[in-house]
Amino acid sequence: MVCPVGAVKADLTIAPMDFLPAQASPPRRLWDIFCQVIDNHGDIGVCWRLAADLAARGQRVRLWCDDASALAWMAPPATRSRDIELLGWPAQAPGNGGASGGVGDVVIEAFGCEIPPAWAAAIAQAARERPRPPVWINLEYLSAEGYVERCHRLPSPIQSGPAQGLTRWFFYPGFTERTGGLLREGGLAARQQAFDRQAWRARLGIASRALAVSLFCYEPPALAELVAQLRQHGPAHLLVAPGRAAQALQRLPAVQDTAGLALHLLPYVSQPQFDEMLWACDLNLVRGEDSLVRALWAGQPLVWNIYPQHDDAHHAKLHAFLDWLDAPASLRRFHLLWNGVQAGSPLPLPSTGVLAEWRACVHAARQSLLQRKDLLTQLLGFVEEKS
Ligand SMILES: Cc1cn([C@H]2C[C@H](O)[C@@H](COP(=O)(O)OP(=O)(O)O[C@H]3O[C@@H](C)[C@H](O)[C@@H](O)[C@H]3O)O2)c(=O)[nH]c1=O
């Protein structure tokens, strides 16, 4: 069902986030974050966001990454805090001695990446020599599945090697009270309040009554159908992120601007600018992990293209998220078609009324998340507890 032309009333406001009480500033610590980029941009995207949030809360960070090239656009050097040191994957352990040269007070292995064995030995040495041994954390992937609540904050004793006998802790981001929460930097609410949505859209020629859809996806099977539906919808704009989304679109037969649909092939932009695109659109088609969270904070209708796994393990993860979201049937169905979990039936572009229902669902989920401590507040408390 396609809504009649001009019937879409873009919601030009973003529901205000409740301004969060300022947290007491935690003791300044040195954090060593390890990030191995598997593919795409989420590994470094999440690690950078974590590092930037830590620096904003008075912490010192060394971000050790095997391929930080995406930060050139994601976090341009001029925008980076001086409290973050960006380093290549370490060939050897840090020097001995205090935090200035040795292992940090906190070591974070992001997404289960394995730190070099020499670092494990250095952590063990620091644990022997310091009154407070380093807190060693494995920061896991985001999921709404039940195992996350069961595994969050669990200890994992090191069974062998130079760090045998030490404990590595599991820390799981999540959507519920009994998980580590989601990254939500302190200045987000103020940025959203200050954002001029209409002016942002006007710069791209998007009228307030036009439908603006952002596309940041892998290779969703229903992409051709979505484009065909948007063409009929008019006036509609498709804002296409670079990389896999743009490549998937350009593989479609004869895709070009038509009367009803304006295509915007976007360049890579910084994380704050990516946020603004999400805030300006009426429907955000996001993917992976970090952009899903950013779309939740944007508070606009969203559809998630989940990171596909060869054994279809992502299906359970998708259903768990839709259950947590309390997604209406139309949104659930759109997700199953968009992710190829359910084939066959046509992809229904949401009507104005359905889009309003999706927006209410995302707003409610966002409000429930805003009642909870963000990930970093929880992580700081956890480190305080384990130090
Ligand atoms: C397109 C674009 C993205 N970004 C940022 C937003 C996010 O921080 C990041 C994209 O990360 P994600 O949304 O998570 O999607 P992704 O698909 O790029 O990353 C994925 O990587 C896999 C290895 C993980 O297993 C997945 O969980 C997922 O994180 O890039 C920008 O800052 N500017 C841009 O122009």
Side-chain angles (χ1 to χ4, degrees), residues 204-227:
L204 265 70
I206 303 172
S208 57
R209 300 184 64 78
L211 178 69
V213 180
S214 71
L215 179 68
F216 180 50
C217 61
Y218 301 115
E219 292 75 34
L223 181 57
E225 212 172 326
L226 174 79
V227 172

Side-chain angles (χ1 to χ4, degrees), residues 253-277:
V255 173
Q256 71 273 333
D257 285 17
T258 56
L261 173 61
L263 289 178
H264 305 263
L265 298 180
L266 304 176
Y268 280 109
V269 295
S270 68
Q271 285 185 326
Q273 290 169 312
F274 186 79
D275 277 341
E276 291 180 356
M277 177 193 67

Side-chain angles (χ1 to χ4, degrees), residues 119-140:
W119 269 77
I123 293 171
Q125 182 184 350
R128 288 191 295 272
E129 294 169 355
R130 288 185 202 168
R132 292 179 164 202
V135 180
W136 189 354
I137 293 171
N138 178 7
L139 179 66
E140 274 296 339

Side-chain angles (χ1 to χ4, degrees), residues 38-43 45-46 49 73-74 141 216 218 241-242 267-271 274 287-292 307 317:
I38 300 170
D39 57 11
N40 302 302
H41 309 305
D43 301 297
V46 170
R49 211 179 285 284
W73 45 264
M74 202 185 281
Y141 286 103
F216 180 50
Y218 301 115
Y268 280 109
V269 295
S270 68
Q271 285 185 326
F274 186 79
R287 76 187 201 195
E289 173 167 329
D290 192 52
S291 58
L292 170 65
Y307 184 75
K317 186 170 176 177

